[in-house]
Amino acid sequence: MPMFPTAMYLKQRIVLHSGCLFRVIMRFRTTGQNISNLIQSVGLTGGMLLLTLILARCKFTSVQQPAGAKTGDTIAVYLTVKEDYAETTNAHKGLIGVLVPEDWTFISGTYSSSVGSGNLEYSSNWTDSAEIYYPVGEYGDNLKWIVVLSDSGYMYSDLPSADVTLLLNTGTLEGCFKMAYIATKATTGLLGTGWTAFSYPHAIGIPDSTACEGSDTTTLKTERAPDWDDLFNRTSGWTGADGIYSIPLSGCDIFRDDSLQKTLFLFSDTFIGSVNSEGKRVNSKLVNNTLALLTGYEPSDEKTEFTWGETASGTPTAVFIPDTPESASGDWYWLMDGIAIGDTVYIYGMRLSPSSTSSLGWEISGVALISFAVDDDFNIFDVKQVDTPFLYNASDGTQTIIGQAIMPMTEESGNPNADGFLYVYGPRSGSVSREMVVSRVLPQNITDFSQYRYWNGNDWVADIAECEALTNSISMEFSVTPLADGRYICVFQLNTVSRSVAVRFGDSPTGPFGYYQLIWDCTESDSNPNIIMYNAKAHPHLSNHGELLISYNVNSFNYDSFTYVDIYRPRFITLTYDDQSGVIYCHSKVVPEQYTLLQNYPNPFNATTRLTYQLSQTSDITLNIYDLTGRLVRTLVQNRAAAGTYQVFWNGVDSIGRPLPSGIYFARIQIQTTNRQMLTETCKLMLLK
């Protein structure tokens, strides 16, 4: 977020506690803001405020529980909680919470650490608070929280670990239950924020571990994506930024191995300057937004160009500066999501303004729709800005913003189950946890704001005030992506700012979205407790089949990002999921001269192969897979498609998801043209395992 002159602020030292400890040194105009609201506000963009936060949190380093237990049994759970920062100001009790089946009971608990040992005592008040901030309905049926406190409070100058033992009595309920654990200081305002240690899920089967066999239908695996990390680890010119969105200029929202495709990256607060041999910034300037253009589908420094604005004297400045009837001098844009429609790019821009009444020194004053064209030489032209009605401040203190995530469900996007609409999501802030809402509009009406409709839980309505929450605990920036198997995946940073990247799976663009799953532990803060992580989102068109490329932002609340280049840039991970459909396709805008089914690649293959077909005009098509005996084993495509080039992936499974044996298979496409001509082409595929 933006920088303000230091003279605008009054220094004040405020000590609060979060995670295991949350010590804050801030420069605010006013004081008295509730800590939970503060964290929500700080998480707004995760950006660069003139404040210094020394964040210290506890984390689980070990969770040991049985995989199964009998009904009416006594089980022991062993936890190890690590403190990240010394506590020398106030003695506080520790808090441990465990999510269990609703008929379980707490028997006893103990803790042992270098600063003290003792017993854990059940707290009904804190149990009620846990239910408010971590609703059991988010995690499964027939569950409840049990929260216990240490019998004494402590101060300490070292960084202790606490070993915790909980004895629990199982009830009579049977099934597979996913337990969760929380740990923090017993201090008001911490639960439900990113500063509470959280570990989930930990499955236990009752009456034995076999109750959990086959309970998860989706297998998730996440690993670092170092090549994408390296692309934005730069030492001159553009040297780091907050916020990152990616827009496929072709309009195709799914992966294509097209070396000529263009991706436009959007960034908000950005450092322009140099980095010395010690990894420190020199001669740097912070500007409010910048862009980058990647040619191809792989991270390549040689094929990526960065750009920013310049003043008449050559000083770096933002690409987009507010210039609408509702904007004022000194306002700036925080770029949200965008989309290319035809030759025009549209971006939703959150407009921020200096504020003398806000404790943060700034406020969100509006949302604009920015449109422009970009050529192959990365020239930005024909820029237009219009004010929108996509900021709604309710009387209950909540704030709704539309534009933080776009999911195109158009034919051009290549997304499955396309219905022709653009789904434009946003966060609603100010409640217990940040909630997700959605609007939709036809692409041809993107600039006609009267045509946007908002989901109220039952229907699409014209009033943004009627938006109904689809889910909660999301970050300010997030993403929603359709999967080829008919589900929708929401990617976000749990509770706005935290170590955890999480996902939820939904049944439709409006949900319902299920219980969240933690897919990645962001370890950047392990070496420096001042570092925070936030705003996870997916980049589907840069993701291979069965994968999602996900970014999250890294920053620091004590000016480290102004000095050290490694802190202030996006990080990337790749989520691999078990996609049983094996189908994903997209078409290019270039009209082929003839109908063709190209040879699959790779061939032979042992996991996934790609088939490409071309249509010279709108046609009805069927693409089937047959085995060597001529038996139909899978229908990959059966629809009407416009002229273009399409890619289809097959993962070697039949129509009900069963893996097929090694052998020779045939892909046959049947094309019925608009003049009723029937064309057929076949290619041979070899599956090797």
Side-chain angles (χ1 to χ4, degrees):
M1 270 187 294
M3 296 303 302
F4 296 102
T6 305
M8 293 176 64
Y9 287 82
L10 299 175
K11 288 188 178 181
Q12 178 169 3
R13 187 171 186 272
I14 308 172
V15 178
L16 302 165
H17 295 273
S18 184
C20 284
L21 173 66
F22 184 16
R23 180 164 306 180
V24 187
I25 303 172
M26 302 186 178
R27 293 174 182 173
F28 282 161
R29 291 180 181 274
T30 61
T31 62
Q33 186 180 26
N34 178 272
I35 180 61
S36 61
N37 292 335
L38 167 64
I39 292 172
Q40 289 284 330
S41 298
V42 169
L44 171 67
T45 58
M48 306 291 295
L49 286 173
L50 263 185
L51 52 85
T52 301
L53 294 178
I54 303 176
L55 299 177
R57 353 158 162 62
C58 53
K59 59 186 178 184
F60 290 105
T61 59
S62 177
V63 175
Q64 300 179 50
Q65 71 172 47
K70 298 177 181 179
T71 58
D73 201 359
T74 297
I75 67 167
V77 174
Y78 304 97
L79 311 172
T80 300
V81 185
K82 180 70 170 62
E83 176 69 87
D84 273 353
Y85 202 80
E87 167 58 283
T88 59
T89 306
N90 296 293
H92 285 276
K93 292 184 177 182
L95 178 154
I96 295 289
V98 54
L99 184 69
V100 299
E102 62 185 4
D103 62 350
W104 286 26
T105 56
F106 171 70
I107 299 174
S108 64
T110 60
Y111 64 94
S112 175
S113 72
S114 60
V115 298
S117 302
N119 295 318
L120 295 168
E121 301 168 343
Y122 175 75
S123 171
S124 59
N125 289 336
W126 282 102
T127 295
D128 291 342
S129 295
E131 165 59 26
I132 293 172
Y133 289 99
Y134 303 91
V136 294
E138 288 291 305
Y139 308 98
D141 298 325
N142 304 314
L143 298 173
K144 71 176 182 181
W145 282 102
I146 293 174
V147 175
V148 295
L149 305 181
S150 62
D151 53 7
S152 299
Y154 297 94
M155 292 190 296
Y156 37 84
S157 57
D158 61 352
L159 305 180
S161 289
D163 293 320
V164 175
T165 300
L166 301 175
L167 294 182
L168 304 167
N169 184 256
T170 66
T172 60
L173 289 174
E174 295 185 357
C176 183
F177 302 96
K178 295 180 179 179
M179 297 171 62
Y181 299 91
I182 55 176
T184 186
K185 296 263 190 220
T187 303
T188 302
L190 302 189
L191 291 178
T193 74
W195 316 119
T196 296
F198 182 87
S199 186
Y200 170 85
H202 299 275
I204 185 169
I206 308 294
D208 55 52
S209 60
T210 60
C212 289
E213 292 180 358
S215 62
D216 289 323
T217 59
T218 301
T219 301
L220 303 178
K221 177 184 177 183
T222 312
E223 58 186 5
R224 179 68 69 186
D227 291 344
W228 286 101
D229 281 353
D230 292 343
L231 179 63
F232 300 100
N233 188 6
R234 303 172 59 84
T235 58
S236 63
W238 188 102
T239 61
D242 208 344
I244 179 172
Y245 286 95
S246 59
I247 302 175
L249 294 184
S250 67
C252 180
D253 201 44
I254 61 177
F255 177 77
R256 292 189 303 153
D257 56 352
D258 181 354
S259 61
L260 298 179
Q261 75 171 351
K262 305 284 187 180
T263 296
L264 183 68
F265 289 102
L266 316 178
F267 307 98
S268 290
D269 287 349
T270 304
F271 281 107
I272 307 298
S274 301
V275 178
N276 64 21
S277 59
E278 297 177 350
K280 296 182 178 180
R281 301 187 190 280
V282 293
N283 301 321
S284 293
K285 178 177 175 57
L286 189 71
V287 302
N288 292 130
N289 53 75
T290 58
L291 304 174
L293 186 67
L294 167 69
T295 301
Y297 57 93
E298 296 178 319
S300 170
D301 186 63
E302 293 77 18
K303 296 181 179 180
T304 305
E305 183 179 356
F306 294 80
T307 191
W308 51 89
E310 287 188 354
T311 65
S313 61
T315 301
T317 188
V319 175
F320 304 112
I321 298 173
D323 185 19
T324 67
E326 295 181 8
S327 65
S329 177
D331 288 358
W332 65 97
Y333 282 132
W334 189 274
L335 302 184
M336 300 190 288
D337 208 354
I339 188 170
I341 302 176
D343 295 326
T344 303
V345 178
Y346 298 90
I347 297 173
Y348 297 93
M350 183 165 56
R351 182 166 52 84
L352 306 179
S353 304
S355 172
S356 60
T357 58
S358 168
S359 59
L360 296 173
W362 55 268
E363 64 183 1
I364 303 172
S365 50
V367 173
L369 183 63
I370 307 167
S371 63
F372 58 94
V374 55
D375 63 21
D376 289 341
D377 295 324
F378 206 9
N379 295 308
I380 306 295
F381 57 97
D382 197 20
V383 177
K384 300 182 178 67
Q385 304 177 24
V386 291
D387 293 308
T388 77
F390 299 147
L391 171 67
Y392 173 66
N393 293 305
S395 59
D396 63 0
T398 59
Q399 183 180 73
T400 298
I401 297 172
I402 294 296
Q404 288 283 19
I406 300 175
M407 183 178 69
M409 296 299 290
T410 60
E411 180 182 278
E412 191 174 55
S413 73
N415 282 326
N417 303 313
D419 60 10
F421 285 96
L422 304 179
Y423 289 82
V424 188
Y425 295 83
R428 180 161 62 200
S429 308
S431 58
V432 170
S433 68
R434 184 160 278 135
E435 300 172 330
M436 181 171 71
V437 299
V438 65
S439 66
R440 74 176 187 181
V441 68
L442 292 171
Q444 63 267 29
N445 296 330
I446 190 171
T447 60
D448 184 352
F449 308 131
S450 68
Q451 296 299 309
Y452 284 69
R453 294 294 180 265
Y454 308 89
W455 183 250
N456 71 355
N458 296 302
D459 201 0
W460 296 97
V461 298
D463 188 356
I464 190 175
E466 295 186 38
C467 279
E468 181 69 19
L470 308 182
T471 190
N472 57 22
S473 301
I474 65 167
S475 42
M476 190 69 176
E477 298 176 6
F478 56 93
S479 63
V480 181
T481 303
L483 302 178
D485 61 9
R487 295 176 300 166
Y488 298 80
I489 184 171
C490 176
V491 178
F492 56 99
Q493 203 87 23
L494 182 63
N495 293 321
T496 299
V497 178
S498 74
R499 294 175 62 100
S500 300
V501 177
V503 300
R504 295 182 191 267
F505 290 95
D507 296 333
S508 76
T510 59
F513 287 88
Y515 317 126
Y516 64 74
Q517 302 179 51
L518 304 183
I519 62 167
W520 187 255
D521 179 39
C522 307
T523 59
E524 285 78 8
S525 60
D526 285 352
S527 59
N528 183 347
N530 299 314
I531 292 176
I532 58 170
M533 294 74 62
Y534 52 96
N535 284 346
K537 66 179 75 70
H539 305 267
H541 81 285
L542 298 173
S543 308
N544 287 313
H545 174 61
E547 296 179 349
L548 269 185
L549 180 69
I550 295 170
S551 66
Y552 61 91
N553 290 102
V554 179
N555 203 344
S556 171
F557 278 144
N558 74 338
Y559 302 107
D560 286 345
S561 55
F562 283 79
T563 302
Y564 298 101
V565 68
D566 195 49
I567 293 176
Y568 196 58
R569 58 182 173 85
R571 303 298 201 275
F572 290 85
I573 55 178
T574 298
L575 170 67
T576 302
Y577 57 91
D578 184 14
D579 179 7
Q580 293 299 320
S581 77
V583 182
I584 189 167
Y585 53 91
C586 194
H587 76 277
S588 71
K589 296 180 181 179
V590 178
V591 178
E593 296 181 356
Q594 60 184 4
Y595 294 95
T596 306
L597 174 63
L598 302 179
Q599 184 64 50
N600 65 303
Y601 179 86
N603 194 38
F605 70 100
N606 65 2
T608 299
T609 190
R610 181 186 71 248
L611 296 110
T612 302
Y613 59 94
Q614 297 178 330
L615 306 176
S616 58
Q617 58 181 275
T618 299
S619 307
D620 294 314
I621 63 167
T622 301
L623 178 58
N624 291 327
I625 303 294
Y626 298 88
D627 65 13
L628 197 56
T629 68
R631 180 176 63 95
L632 174 65
V633 296
R634 183 70 183 274
T635 297
L636 296 180
V637 181
Q638 189 171 26
N639 61 17
R640 186 173 182 84
T645 299
Y646 294 79
Q647 295 181 347
V648 181
F649 293 83
W650 180 48
N651 58 359
V653 303
D654 67 10
S655 58
I656 60 174
R658 296 175 300 190
L660 293 169
S662 298
I664 294 175
Y665 296 85
F666 297 93
R668 178 185 298 171
I669 190 169
Q670 291 182 307
I671 303 169
Q672 181 174 320
T673 66
T674 52
N675 60 6
R676 299 292 181 178
Q677 182 181 7
M678 184 66 73
L679 304 174
T680 301
E681 288 198 19
T682 302
C683 66
K684 183 168 66 174
L685 296 66
M686 183 173 291
L687 173 61
L688 296 179
K689 294 186 176 181

